[in-house]
Amino acid sequence: MFHTREKSDLLLIMETLAIRGILSNKQQQYLHHLQKGFAGEQSFDQMTTQLNDNFFILNDLFLQPHLSNAFQIDSMILTGKTLYLYEIKNYSGEYYYGEEMLVKMPVFKVSNPLIQVQNTKNKLTIFLKELRYDIEIKVYAAYVHPEFTLFNAPKYEGMLLPSQLKNHFIKIEKESKPLTAIQKKLAADLIDYQTDPMLFANDIPDYSFASLRKGIVCEECSSFDLKLHRTYYHCQSCDYENPINSALLSCIKEYQRLFPNDKLVTSILYIWCAEMLSKKRIQRTLKLLV
């Protein structure tokens, strides 16, 4: 695994706002969409971890070429022969295939992922020419949810239904060739062209320091109902226990993510933690971040 996948700042911010603020129904649906998408990507990643050493697996690439617009890649598998590009979808339920849209009965429609991944391929092809690489690119729309059904689906190699994923990875593993120095350099170059993922963020609701609930939350269930002891806390909602410093560090990082342009000031973080911990303790923890 060359470039691992983590929760995006967008998803983490939305989850924090769900805990500390109030989301509208539309915003809650957006958060559910992000969470479901991440869960689908994790399912895909579990399958790719079974591949042998003839692969570089690069996940969640946010690329900024010099000569074109930034673009995002869900997952890329690089071998000594081919670059495999995947658009991962965690749709569930019954859909009907259309060349431009997938229709979930009765009226819900989504863009055809094959179009999305083809657009990504076009951008990546231009970018690789910019970097002076010539490699075969194969693209796939990968549907990972076991309860996904697609009626009228064409027999097209670029579409991977849940029942086809295992055999797909077996096939590419058999066809793979050992990585060379060129592929290793390509993977390193792609990482170097990473840009800020928040450039792709949208639909984050407005929020302010004053509007958000203050306090330290349980790292297991996100409850505010904590009983603090000298070195650890006990969550009275789920009985989880962990060192206080761990929860404090999470709380500080949460603030930093929500307000990236603000300085980490002890007096502000003291309020952010609802004055549950001493300023000295907060100050000591801040020094660990320097």
Side-chain angles (χ1 to χ4, degrees):
M1 185 73 73
F2 194 81
H3 188 262
T4 56
R5 191 189 312 277
E6 298 177 348
K7 280 189 178 183
S8 67
D9 280 350
L10 171 59
L11 174 52
L12 289 170
I13 286 172
M14 290 299 296
E15 287 181 336
T16 298
L17 294 179
I19 295 165
R20 294 186 179 269
I22 299 175
L23 298 183
S24 67
N25 288 337
K26 183 178 179 181
Q27 290 160 355
Q28 288 174 0
Q29 290 172 2
Y30 180 53
L31 171 57
H32 176 70
H33 167 75
L34 294 174
Q35 290 172 325
K36 188 173 182 181
F38 181 69
E41 290 165 348
Q42 287 184 305
S43 296
F44 183 88
D45 295 344
Q46 278 203 316
M47 300 178 212
T48 61
T49 56
Q50 309 302 316
L51 295 173
N52 62 35
D53 293 336
N54 290 341
F55 299 89
F56 276 141
I57 303 169
L58 293 86
N59 296 319
D60 263 353
L61 290 176
F62 297 84
L63 300 174
Q64 178 59 75
H66 286 310
L67 304 178
S68 54
N69 294 331
F71 63 100
Q72 185 260 340
I73 292 172
D74 283 350
S75 194
M76 175 193 297
I77 297 178
L78 182 62
T79 76
K81 177 183 176 183
T82 307
L83 189 156
Y84 298 91
L85 194 62
Y86 300 89
E87 181 76 23
I88 302 167
K89 296 300 179 186
N90 197 21
Y91 300 153
S92 59
E94 296 181 344
Y95 284 75
Y96 287 82
Y97 181 85
E99 289 188 4
E100 295 185 2
M101 308 288 288
L102 303 187
V103 181
K104 184 176 184 179
M105 301 304 291
V107 292
F108 182 70
K109 296 182 180 180
V110 294
S111 298
N112 188 331
L114 288 173
I115 297 175
Q116 293 176 261
V117 74
Q118 187 60 53
N119 288 338
T120 303
K121 178 186 177 182
N122 294 339
K123 293 174 183 178
L124 181 61
T125 300
I126 294 170
F127 183 37
L128 293 181
K129 284 183 180 179
E130 180 184 324
L131 297 178
R132 300 182 183 278
Y133 288 104
D134 183 17
I135 186 169
E136 179 187 23
I137 301 175
K138 291 186 177 182
V139 298
Y140 297 91
Y143 300 93
V144 299
H145 199 290
E147 295 179 8
F148 173 76
T149 302
L150 185 60
F151 294 104
N152 300 329
K155 290 184 178 179
Y156 176 62
E157 187 185 13
M159 185 186 304
L160 295 172
L161 299 176
S163 60
Q164 298 173 309
L165 287 166
K166 182 178 179 180
N167 285 339
H168 167 73
F169 290 121
I170 291 173
K171 179 183 177 183
I172 68 171
E173 195 164 41
K174 286 180 179 177
E175 295 175 352
S176 69
K177 293 185 177 182
L179 293 160
T180 68
I182 293 175
Q183 282 85 41
K184 294 175 183 177
K185 186 175 185 305
L186 169 56
D189 285 345
L190 291 172
I191 297 298
D192 286 344
Y193 275 84
Q194 281 274 89
T195 189
D196 183 3
M198 289 302 288
L199 293 175
F200 296 81
N202 51 38
D203 294 332
I204 297 178
D206 292 332
Y207 59 88
S208 65
F209 182 82
S211 68
L212 299 177
R213 183 175 177 180
K214 312 302 187 292
I216 299 173
V217 300
C218 173
E219 296 163 281
E220 183 69 17
C221 73
S222 300
S223 170
F224 287 88
D225 191 11
L226 306 184
K227 185 174 181 179
L228 303 186
H229 299 273
R230 192 172 68 85
T231 60
Y232 70 96
Y233 69 87
H234 175 87
C235 177
Q236 300 188 94
S237 294
C238 72
D239 284 331
Y240 182 73
E241 292 182 347
N242 213 32
I244 289 176
N245 284 350
S246 177
L248 173 57
L249 194 59
S250 295
C251 204
I252 293 172
K253 289 181 178 179
E254 191 178 54
Y255 176 87
Q256 199 171 26
R257 194 178 298 115
L258 289 169
F259 306 101
N261 298 321
D262 292 0
K263 277 189 173 182
L264 294 177
V265 180
T266 300
S267 57
I268 298 297
L269 292 171
Y270 178 64
I271 298 170
W272 181 247
C273 295
E275 304 178 8
M276 295 171 67
L277 300 173
S278 70
K279 292 182 180 180
K280 282 187 177 181
R281 185 168 208 154
I282 294 171
Q283 201 166 32
R284 284 198 305 267
T285 304
L286 279 177
K287 288 179 180 179
L288 299 174
L289 297 173
V290 176

